[in-house]
Amino acid sequence: MNETNSSDWQPTPEERDFFYKLYCVYISSDSLSFILGNIINVWLLIAILTSSEMRLMLRNKILVFVCICNVVESSILAPLEMSLNLELADSRNCITVELMFHLQSFLDFCSNWYLVIIFILYIIQIRDIDVSVYVNPTFHKIGPVLLMVSPMIIAILTVPVIMKVYHDEFLRLHKISYTCVFPTYSSLMIFKILDSVLPILTLIILLAIALYLRRQRLLIESSGGSMEVGLIKRTSPLDNVLPYVLAVAVTFLCNILDVTKSLGGEILIPIDLKVWYIFVTVNRFLLESRTYTVPLSWIFLKDIGERIKTWRPWYRPGPGIDLTVVYSKESA
């Protein structure tokens, strides 16, 4: 009886208008992620990779991996999501949905923890710590490589663990059986804590520490009579704090609804169905907007900002004027 009622349900004109607006938001979100996410991240990638000086900085190497994660999400996940919304792909096809979920979980984990690494490097920069003094030469060489690949290795090992194989018995009775691999609710909660809650809380704590240490360093450097200013030679210029504050703020805003939805499922069940659809739609828009909003914050870094302003990939200097000076010895 319930099955018949659900199949005979017809939305009212107001409901059709409501769902059409949500549909437009989904398509717009996918389109913005595909266009802006690829343009901004590819621009940053090429700008960093074409500068030998910028490639040497460990912070910029980590940013390259962040941009690669964003490009993968914008060029693969956004088109797949759009194809499902436009009904160009079968939403009942488990392979497509599984691919999207696995890849999204992998990229979320890597992107958030790469930000944590960048903030740790910022604190090291503020304290002007020479890491090579505290580690042996071998580890000093392989250490940056471990920093760059460790989030990916942990994500590859973690994401499959939370998955469980589901076999739909109801569809099997109708000879349309298929097998899906998705996480259980409890495993998803644990993964979200590792994937989003823990790194975001760590980012907030590291930002507070960085602000305090930066203030202390600036106070010391502004007092001309300080012995530390005279004896210690700073090895690197201090980054502006603005891009780090923006990165934390944008990451928090883009993930807060997803964390709420994943961890507070039982709390959100009683809310009105229309409110729930709005909640899910806004959440999806915020998640996809990370691909182009977080990278924009790094443009405020001095070296990247100057590179973006002056670097023109299409610019080719014209031939200069060839001046040939001929000296002749006059005979007396």
Side-chain angles (χ1 to χ4, degrees):
M1 183 68 179
N2 293 335
E3 188 175 328
T4 305
N5 291 337
S6 62
S7 61
D8 293 337
W9 175 78
Q10 295 295 332
T12 63
E14 292 78 11
E15 290 173 335
R16 287 197 190 94
D17 182 65
F18 172 74
F19 286 114
Y20 178 74
K21 290 178 181 178
L22 294 184
Y23 174 80
C24 292
V25 173
Y26 265 85
I27 298 301
S28 301
S29 177
D30 297 332
S31 302
L32 286 174
S33 178
F34 179 74
I35 297 172
L36 295 181
N38 279 299
I39 291 176
I40 294 174
N41 286 282
V42 170
W43 183 271
L44 282 175
L45 273 173
I46 299 177
I48 293 174
L49 294 177
T50 53
S51 171
S52 57
E53 182 179 352
M54 294 185 67
R55 287 199 307 267
L56 294 176
M57 294 183 62
L58 182 55
R59 179 250 286 161
N60 289 340
K61 293 178 181 178
I62 303 297
L63 281 178
V64 166
F65 279 84
V66 175
C67 291
I68 291 175
C69 289
N70 292 331
V71 169
V72 172
E73 183 171 349
S74 299
S75 58
I76 297 179
L77 286 179
L80 284 176
E81 185 75 25
M82 186 181 298
S83 65
L84 292 176
N85 291 327
L86 294 174
E87 298 183 353
L88 300 176
D90 187 1
S91 59
R92 296 172 298 177
N93 185 353
C94 279
I95 296 178
T96 303
V97 181
E98 286 172 13
L99 172 64
M100 293 174 61
F101 186 87
H102 284 67
L103 188 57
Q104 184 73 67
S105 301
F106 174 84
L107 296 175
D108 289 349
F109 188 96
C110 292
S111 298
N112 289 334
W113 282 105
Y114 276 136
L115 288 180
V116 173
I117 296 174
I118 290 174
F119 271 74
I120 293 174
L121 295 176
Y122 183 46
I123 291 178
I124 292 176
Q125 182 195 65
I126 294 174
R127 296 298 297 167
D128 205 51
I129 300 174
D130 188 359
V131 181
S132 61
V133 176
Y134 302 96
V135 298
N136 59 63
T138 303
F139 186 81
H140 183 63
K141 293 180 180 179
I142 67 174
V145 178
L146 291 177
L147 279 179
M148 289 183 282
V149 301
S150 57
M152 291 188 290
I153 295 176
I154 297 174
I156 290 174
L157 297 176
T158 305
V159 172
V161 172
I162 69 171
M163 302 303 171
K164 180 183 177 182
V165 176
Y166 289 90
H167 189 77
D168 199 312
E169 299 292 337
F170 176 79
L171 292 179
R172 189 175 61 145
L173 295 175
H174 294 76
K175 299 180 180 180
I176 323 175
S177 62
Y178 58 83
T179 300
C180 292
V181 180
F182 288 104
T184 62
Y185 179 70
S186 57
S187 63
L188 180 62
M189 289 181 63
I190 297 174
F191 180 75
K192 272 301 168 184
I193 292 174
L194 297 175
D195 160 68
S196 300
V197 177
L198 187 58
I200 291 176
L201 288 178
T202 305
L203 285 174
I204 295 173
I205 294 172
L206 290 176
L207 177 61
I209 295 173
L211 291 174
Y212 173 78
L213 294 177
R214 188 176 187 276
R215 181 175 180 273
Q216 292 298 314
R217 171 172 167 170
L218 293 178
L219 287 175
I220 292 175
E221 292 182 349
S222 63
S223 58
S226 173
M227 182 178 296
E228 184 177 354
V229 175
L231 294 179
I232 298 179
K233 181 181 179 181
R234 300 298 183 186
T235 58
S236 60
L238 189 60
D239 283 341
N240 183 14
V241 73
L242 177 61
Y244 295 92
V245 174
L246 290 176
V248 173
V250 173
T251 302
F252 177 83
L253 290 175
C254 291
N255 285 274
I256 185 62
L257 292 185
D258 186 56
V259 172
T260 304
K261 182 171 73 71
S262 300
L263 303 184
E266 296 180 357
I267 301 175
L268 298 174
I269 288 176
I271 67 175
D272 182 72
L273 190 60
K274 183 178 290 187
V275 176
W276 169 255
Y277 278 119
I278 295 175
F279 179 87
V280 172
T281 303
V282 175
N283 175 46
R284 182 62 196 171
F285 179 82
L286 290 175
L287 285 176
E288 289 191 327
S289 67
R290 293 177 308 174
T291 58
Y292 51 88
T293 52
V294 176
L296 285 175
S297 62
W298 302 120
I299 296 178
F300 293 95
L301 288 170
K302 186 176 180 180
D303 57 335
I304 294 180
E306 290 297 323
R307 176 68 174 167
I308 294 296
K309 290 178 183 177
T310 57
W311 178 67
R312 299 293 183 271
W314 58 84
Y315 176 71
R316 294 292 183 272
I321 300 175
D322 186 15
L323 295 178
T324 304
V325 180
V326 179
Y327 294 92
S328 60
K329 184 177 179 181
E330 295 182 358
S331 57

